[in-house]
Amino acid sequence: MLQSSETNSAEALVCFRPAAVGDLAEYKENYPTAYAAPVARYLDEAAKCPVSHGIATNGTSTLFPFLLAPVARYDFGWILSLGPKSPPDSSVLHGFASVDPNIAGGEAKAIEFVYFIYGARNPAGSLPLRTFGPWRVRVDRGGEFDTQFQRALTAQHVPIIVGSAFFDITRESDTALSATAKDRVLSRLEDRIAEGLTNEGFERVPDEELTDADGNSFDDRLRQLIQQNFRPYGQPGRPREFGELIVMKKTRQLNCLSNQGLVMAVIFSMKPIQNVASDYGSTGLILEGLGSCGPSSSTAKRYLGNLTTDAERWVTDEVKKHQ
């Protein structure tokens, strides 16, 4: 069957056909032993497609076509970016979904679908792009992440104010660096943010302060949280992996109400996408103001904003060194 539509000035095409429910269950159950290697080869070959942007990876539920969403639930799939633009504005998603039993007469049914979208508006396209020779730094400072995170904290009556800055790094060059060399660049960017925060009076939080009574570390809990909530099903060896996590804090000379607050900082990185020569990963900084540096302090809000501005300068200055 076939459906087409136009959304956000983009042309979209959805094709689907019946699939065996048992096949979906069998794929999920036996993915590590039977399907991980074939899927990796499938994605590698797809990325070599002449009309692609060279990026093929596992899809997520947020990519599921809205035309199918009222009657089906996304299970798994794979997406290939298309076209010469950077970032790409077109893609094709091949996947499988479970059909709502109420629609299917109470029976368990599934579909296989192909979703093609051309000329989509990419939210990243509106973000500032800094160019330094072959390097490109996409800057997302105080954007949608802050809004959604702050909204969730407020709804739970948690007195914390949030500020963030994220930096996606790419390099347009005929010469591709090794994975090890890419990791060194990313590690240096993290270190540069940490150096800047240290000069601002932040101190690195010792590992023992980040470990609970059961021996579980903050590092492990954060990685597990993101893997459970943001990592699509069945991606061993192919998802974007974490680099180092650096946790810092500042408790003195904050200029917040009564100067009794606390500002926490988490510096992290996501490693480059495998087999994508131009991708160098991303690094980011999440700041949290607590106590007298919480939401009631306008000074704290300005302070976090200034720190994210500084983080952008620290990152771009470091990138310039690698031209």
Side-chain angles (χ1 to χ4, degrees), residues 2-323:
L2 181 66
Q3 294 282 352
S4 63
S5 71
E6 183 175 330
T7 175
N8 289 333
S9 74
E11 296 292 335
L13 178 70
V14 183
C15 305
F16 60 95
R17 65 182 182 182
V21 173
D23 290 348
L24 274 65
E26 199 270 339
Y27 173 88
K28 293 179 181 179
E29 182 178 355
N30 298 308
Y31 179 89
T33 56
Y35 296 105
V39 166
R41 290 195 296 270
Y42 174 51
L43 294 174
D44 288 340
E45 290 301 315
K48 298 174 184 176
C49 176
V51 298
S52 81
H53 196 262
I55 302 175
T57 188
N58 291 267
T60 67
S61 59
T62 57
L63 302 171
F64 193 51
F66 74 92
L67 285 170
L68 298 178
V71 297
R73 184 194 70 243
Y74 178 87
D75 277 285
F76 54 85
W78 312 274
I79 187 168
L80 174 69
S81 59
L82 302 173
K85 292 186 178 180
S86 183
D89 63 358
S90 304
S91 63
V92 58
L93 174 67
H94 171 212
F96 294 83
S98 301
V99 177
D100 184 347
N102 294 323
I103 302 294
E107 297 182 22
K109 292 187 177 182
I111 58 173
E112 178 182 8
F113 68 90
V114 175
Y115 178 37
F116 173 76
I117 188 166
Y118 174 76
R121 182 182 64 83
N122 192 318
S126 62
L127 298 175
L129 179 66
R130 314 300 187 208
T131 302
F132 310 100
W135 294 95
R136 309 287 186 269
V137 181
R138 182 78 64 180
V139 181
D140 185 0
R141 190 162 52 83
E144 188 66 16
F145 176 87
D146 287 10
T147 300
Q148 297 300 330
F149 198 176
Q150 195 68 65
R151 185 176 298 164
L153 292 172
T154 301
Q156 296 297 320
H157 305 288
V158 178
I160 294 176
I161 189 171
V162 177
S164 68
F166 304 100
F167 309 96
D168 290 330
I169 314 298
T170 58
R171 184 172 182 264
E172 304 296 333
S173 174
D174 294 333
T175 305
L177 296 184
S178 66
T180 301
K182 288 184 176 183
D183 286 345
R184 284 198 296 266
V185 172
L186 206 54
S187 178
R188 182 54 196 153
L189 294 177
E190 281 192 286
D191 290 343
R192 182 64 187 89
I193 296 175
E195 290 172 8
L197 291 177
T198 299
N199 293 335
E200 286 289 327
F202 281 76
E203 300 174 343
R204 188 156 182 168
V205 179
D207 291 341
E208 54 267 25
E209 292 187 23
L210 298 172
T211 304
D212 61 22
D214 297 324
N216 299 312
S217 70
F218 172 83
D219 185 313
D220 292 338
R221 291 198 301 272
L222 182 58
R223 292 172 190 267
Q224 184 179 30
L225 176 66
I226 292 185
Q227 287 175 347
Q228 289 175 345
N229 292 281
F230 300 99
R231 178 176 173 176
Y233 182 86
Q235 288 193 358
R238 293 212 52 97
R240 298 192 73 152
E241 300 175 352
F242 270 111
E244 183 182 8
L245 286 172
I246 301 174
V247 183
M248 306 182 76
K249 66 180 180 180
K250 182 177 181 180
T251 58
R252 297 186 297 274
Q253 297 179 337
L254 289 167
N255 296 320
C256 299
L257 298 173
S258 72
N259 199 30
Q260 296 297 314
L262 168 68
V263 175
M264 298 292 296
V266 178
I267 308 167
F268 67 95
S269 64
M270 302 296 287
K271 291 191 175 183
I273 300 173
Q274 297 180 24
N275 302 320
V276 179
S278 63
D279 187 75
Y280 279 68
S282 59
T283 189
L285 169 66
I286 299 175
L287 299 161
E288 296 182 352
L290 301 82
S292 63
C293 287
S296 60
S297 173
S298 58
T299 302
K301 185 174 183 179
R302 288 194 299 271
Y303 181 57
L304 298 192
N306 290 338
L307 285 177
T308 60
T309 300
D310 289 340
E312 179 179 345
R313 175 170 52 82
W314 299 331
V315 168
T316 54
D317 284 352
E318 185 62 31
V319 169
K320 292 176 185 177
K321 297 179 181 179
H322 297 273
Q323 292 186 69

